[in-house]
Amino acid sequence: MEDGCSTLVRSLEKKYLDDDDEIVQGIIFTGFTGCSPCKMASQRALELLVLNNMNIGTIGDSEKLAMLASHVSEADLGWNQISQWSDVACILKNLPHLRVLNIGHNPLNPVIDHELPVSTLHTIILNGTHLPFKTLQSFLSVLPKVTELHMSDNQFNDDDDCDKSISTSVRTIHLNRCGFLKWSSVMNVVKRFPNVCSVFVCENPLKDVTHCKQFDQLPFLEFPESSKNVH
């Protein structure tokens, strides 16, 4: 962990386990009334975890994370300093009910060097992570239920040597602010998700949208009708 960085567990405790009402007013608890925030969290009632831009560099005490956050279904950890895939694995392992995960704008290692557990996530946000296609393919292989993928604020290489399908479960992909100039560059990414049906490409300096051969390979994206699903 970099000097000065916090841990996820410590940041969770500071934000959510303080009895000051002003600090805990943003937390979502279910099934408990009349309990202190600390007691409620220890009883695994936390569902929404928002710890973005808190200089988090690692997880910390994984057992405590499992105790306090095992019922979390949505976690926003964007704009932190998480770089190790072992920390991503720890999150997936200890948050079994997780459905939405934002780890965008974290300096993730471009190579996965740790075994990742299979997760039932349905939305993964990887904005600004600049992961190579091969790394993305490896990551999504343990996320078989992901239907929505956010990859905005990334730079993609048309010459990337990974030509295989990255995910067959993804239906919606967000590619906003990726600097695309040509529609063929957009399709170079989209073609790797053969079952995608909606593509978001806002704030890209595209010169035009034209038919290209990749359209013919995508059963759910038809041209010109596809314009209804391309935003």
Side-chain angles (χ1 to χ4, degrees):
M1 182 176 65
E2 295 182 10
D3 292 342
C5 286
S6 180
T7 69
L8 190 157
V9 171
R10 180 57 186 144
S11 296
L12 185 159
E13 290 175 329
K14 288 177 65 177
K15 182 171 183 178
Y16 293 118
L17 302 189
D18 193 304
D19 287 326
D20 188 329
D21 289 339
E22 292 183 358
I23 294 179
V24 300
Q25 63 182 354
I27 198 169
I28 293 180
F29 288 116
T30 60
F32 300 93
T33 58
C35 297
S36 70
C38 186
K39 182 178 180 181
M40 292 170 73
S42 67
Q43 290 176 308
R44 302 178 181 180
L46 179 63
E47 291 184 348
L48 173 63
L49 185 63
V50 180
L51 296 173
N52 58 321
N53 199 23
M54 297 190 72
N55 203 34
I56 295 170
T58 188
I59 301 304
D61 188 333
S62 60
E63 292 185 1
K64 185 174 289 187
L65 176 66
M67 180 183 70
L68 298 178
S70 67
H71 277 200
V72 167
S73 61
E74 298 186 32
D76 181 359
L77 305 176
W79 296 96
N80 281 295
Q81 298 299 320
I82 298 170
S83 61
Q84 300 301 314
W85 287 99
S86 57
D87 289 323
V88 176
C90 186
I91 293 168
L92 297 178
K93 177 182 178 180
N94 291 293
L95 278 63
H97 298 285
L98 196 61
R99 297 296 177 266
V100 180
L101 175 62
N102 179 10
I103 49 175
H105 296 283
N106 278 277
L108 292 170
N109 190 323
V111 177
I112 296 177
D113 55 1
H114 193 280
E115 184 176 358
L116 301 175
V118 175
S119 171
T120 55
L121 279 175
H122 65 64
T123 299
I124 180 70
I125 301 172
L126 297 169
N127 298 336
T129 53
H130 306 288
L131 297 176
F133 285 137
K134 284 186 177 180
T135 300
L136 191 59
Q137 182 184 45
S138 296
F139 188 23
L140 293 186
S141 70
V142 300
L143 307 178
K145 295 188 177 182
V146 161
T147 59
E148 184 166 349
L149 172 65
H150 293 249
M151 288 292 294
S152 299
D153 301 312
N154 282 289
Q155 298 297 315
F156 296 96
N157 183 2
D158 286 348
D159 297 326
D160 194 298
D161 59 359
C162 178
D163 290 327
K164 297 181 180 180
S165 170
I166 291 177
S167 170
T168 58
S169 65
V170 171
R171 298 293 187 271
T172 300
I173 186 168
H174 298 255
L175 299 170
N176 305 315
R177 300 177 302 279
C178 290
F180 293 122
L181 296 173
K182 300 178 180 179
W183 186 246
S184 59
S185 296
V186 176
M187 294 308 300
N188 183 55
V189 178
V190 175
K191 71 178 183 180
R192 302 165 196 274
F193 303 89
N195 292 322
V196 73
C197 55
S198 291
V199 183
F200 292 80
V201 288
C202 297
E203 299 181 64
N204 282 286
L206 289 166
K207 297 179 180 179
D208 53 27
V209 178
T210 58
H211 184 274
C212 51
K213 63 181 181 179
Q214 287 92 336
F215 270 116
D216 301 328
Q217 302 169 10
L218 300 173
F220 296 105
L221 264 179
E222 299 179 356
F223 191 86
E225 288 81 6
S226 62
S227 60
K228 294 182 292 184
N229 286 330
V230 179
H231 310 273

